[in-house]
Amino acid sequence: MKQVVIIGAGIIGGAIAFEMAKAGWLVTVVDKAPEAGYGSTSNSSAVIRINYSVMETCAMALEGWTYWRDWAGYVDLPADRPLATYRETGSLVIYSGDGAGMARITDIMDRIGGVYDRVTPEGIRAYVPMADLQSYAPAKRLDHPDFGEPNPEQVGGAVFFHQAGYVNDPKLAAQNLQWAAEGAGASFRFRSKVEGIETAAGRVSGVRLADGTILPADVVVNAGGPWSAGLNRMAGVTGDMTIRNRPNRQEVAYIPGPENMDYRRDGIVIADLDAEFYARPDPVGICVGSTDPACDTHEWVEDPDALDTRFTDQWTAIVMRGAMRLPEMRIPGQASGLVALYDTSDDWLPIYDRTSMPGFYMACGTSGNQFKMAPVVGKLMTHLITETEAGHDHDAAPLSFRLERTGGRIDLGTYSRKRRVNAQSSFSVMG
């Protein structure tokens, strides 16, 4: 039986572990944290949606949605185990101008079977009562003299995507995958920091831990999230990568919802590409994050372990942008929420690929938008690894991947480490 060591016990690493264990691999997952999902996964907004900028990712997201709807059936755990819950609310994407970019996405939906409704500006209030319909684009920085000033025209409209919602507990979802993987024969080692990648005869041979333990492996998978770029450097596999990834600091606000509605009960997922924020229901009221407008500078973090978790004016800007659209938003005097990291690639699309070192693979560059893909990524990576280890040259002839539940195939070259920057990308968390 071939051995695989997966570095990272977040939602992506857990899904890969589950699928590879089911496929007959001897799986060991290592993570320096004390529990599964303890890192960036626990800080995910856990939004489930199918609208992306690239056809392959939309198709993967639609496939992923089918697993979240059937989460209990997918992980198949004993009845006494707690389960993460998916709540379907739908997602309203608000846009400026003529919505040409959204027309391209709805064209993709027509190709893959996504269900959506076109919404007029006035129709937005059917989903979000008393919404301000003025346009605020382009987004401005908090210190801009016109920050918060509306344009003369209204927003262009919106699209409501039915196959969308959110997962109530992303950390528990990762733990569900851990338990499912263990049930299939995988083992997990926590508080185990990786300090080296072992090689022999020109290929990976194992992983060296901080305590000196060497875990032998035929295959190693880097699913380290914000730590994955450092692991790639440790393995010496960055030389042929045309797409890189690095940790990107983000702030998310948890605040009371608008006064005119119980957002916890009646709220939906919103992606406002005019005011540049996203929102979803939360036990506190509403979770509000940024859609990464061009005016906001990105804060790249050299050392993920040295992340500054204090709130800044980014928190204020996010909340104020939300209040532009939702004027009855209650804004607390004290910032609350979280500060965390995206593992951001150059074009905000993931890297699911082999590397220049035989036997060393990567599932990284998830850019804050791949949580919803996890079950599909587990199957995709298992397919890619199995075929490559059997001798297929994925660099020369990129593999395709069949989507089991929704049908069709996607080109895995889309997620190659050696691709050109994808000009179709949103270059934001929208993917």
Side-chain angles (χ1 to χ4, degrees):
M1 183 180 291
K2 287 193 172 183
Q3 296 177 297
V4 56
V5 172
I6 299 168
I7 306 172
I11 195 74
I12 297 293
I16 297 170
F18 184 31
E19 293 298 333
M20 293 198 74
K22 289 191 293 182
W25 289 75
L26 185 61
V27 178
T28 302
V29 182
V30 297
D31 198 302
K32 65 180 181 179
E35 297 177 331
Y38 199 85
S40 59
T41 293
S42 65
N43 295 319
S44 173
S45 294
V47 169
I48 307 300
R49 59 180 168 89
I50 62 171
N51 56 296
Y52 283 77
S53 55
V54 176
M55 192 282 289
E56 289 83 358
T57 312
C58 291
M60 282 183 63
L62 181 61
E63 179 86 355
W65 167 77
T66 70
Y67 288 95
W68 291 109
R69 289 194 78 192
D70 181 35
W71 188 245
Y74 174 56
V75 294
D76 192 24
L77 295 173
D80 62 344
R81 292 283 198 175
L83 288 175
T85 301
Y86 166 64
R87 181 184 173 204
E88 187 147 283
T89 64
S91 173
L92 187 72
V93 181
I94 301 170
Y95 59 81
S96 307
D98 62 5
M102 287 306 302
R104 186 170 61 81
I105 294 171
T106 55
D107 286 346
I108 294 173
M109 295 298 111
D110 292 339
R111 293 170 60 189
I112 68 171
V115 181
Y116 64 91
D117 298 321
R118 292 184 175 88
V119 181
T120 64
E122 291 74 19
I124 290 171
R125 288 184 174 143
Y127 300 93
V128 189
M130 299 182 68
D132 183 336
L133 302 180
Q134 293 304 116
S135 172
Y136 291 88
K140 303 170 184 66
R141 292 177 57 84
L142 196 63
D143 57 3
H144 192 285
D146 293 332
F147 181 87
E149 292 296 319
N151 299 324
E153 67 274 8
Q154 289 187 328
V155 296
V159 176
F160 182 77
F161 296 90
H162 290 256
Q163 294 139 311
Y166 66 96
V167 174
N168 69 327
D169 190 335
K171 184 176 184 297
L172 179 57
Q175 290 176 318
N176 291 165
L177 288 171
Q178 175 197 342
W179 300 333
E182 288 173 334
S187 63
F188 284 69
R189 294 180 61 127
F190 295 108
R191 303 184 190 276
S192 298
K193 183 178 180 180
V194 173
E195 287 209 339
I197 306 299
E198 298 292 302
T199 61
R203 63 170 291 126
V204 75
S205 63
V207 167
R208 185 174 72 257
L209 304 180
D211 65 2
T213 300
I214 294 179
L215 302 176
D218 300 289
V219 163
V220 173
V221 182
N222 177 4
W227 291 266
S228 63
L231 290 165
N232 285 337
R233 291 191 296 271
M234 178 187 295
V237 298
T238 61
D240 70 343
M241 295 175 66
T242 58
I243 297 291
R244 301 295 180 95
N245 58 302
R246 50 183 171 163
N248 175 4
R249 185 183 183 278
Q250 295 282 333
E251 299 181 26
V252 175
Y254 295 151
I255 60 176
E259 290 185 350
N260 64 317
M261 67 183 297
D262 184 346
Y263 211 88
R264 293 170 296 184
R265 185 191 66 191
D266 302 324
I268 62 173
V269 172
I270 297 173
D272 192 325
L273 306 183
D274 178 272
E276 298 287 7
F277 73 95
Y278 72 81
R280 68 154 175 82
D282 182 80
V284 173
I286 188 169
C287 166
V288 184
S290 172
T291 53
D292 302 292
C295 66
D296 289 357
T297 56
H298 289 121
E299 184 176 347
W300 306 106
V301 176
E302 187 69 25
D303 179 5
D305 292 320
L307 173 67
D308 185 346
T309 58
R310 293 173 294 182
F311 292 109
T312 68
D313 60 3
Q314 184 189 14
W315 185 95
T316 307
I318 292 167
V319 172
M320 293 299 291
R321 286 170 181 156
M324 293 175 197
R325 188 70 60 221
L326 308 173
E328 295 203 13
M329 187 90 79
R330 289 167 288 181
I331 302 176
Q334 179 68 40
S336 62
L338 58 87
V339 179
L341 294 169
Y342 290 165
D343 174 25
T344 304
S345 75
D346 292 335
D347 58 8
W348 292 70
L349 301 180
I351 308 169
Y352 300 136
D353 201 1
R354 55 163 291 181
T355 71
S356 58
M357 179 188 295
F360 190 83
Y361 295 81
M362 64 177 81
C364 55
T366 47
S367 302
N369 61 48
Q370 293 291 294
F371 175 94
K372 56 198 68 57
M373 310 293 190
V376 189
V377 175
K379 293 177 180 291
L380 177 160
M381 290 298 298
T382 300
H383 171 66
L384 189 154
I385 291 166
T386 300
E387 293 299 314
T388 303
E389 290 302 300
H392 182 83
D393 188 343
H394 181 56
D395 286 345
L399 291 159
S400 66
F401 176 68
R402 181 178 175 275
L403 299 168
E404 297 175 358
R405 296 191 174 191
T406 55
R409 288 186 173 273
I410 59 173
D411 177 7
L412 297 189
T414 304
Y415 307 114
S416 169
R417 75 195 186 283
K418 301 175 78 171
R419 67 181 183 261
R420 294 181 179 179
V421 167
N422 194 320
Q424 297 297 320
S425 172
S426 69
F427 295 91
S428 74
V429 72
M430 297 302 293

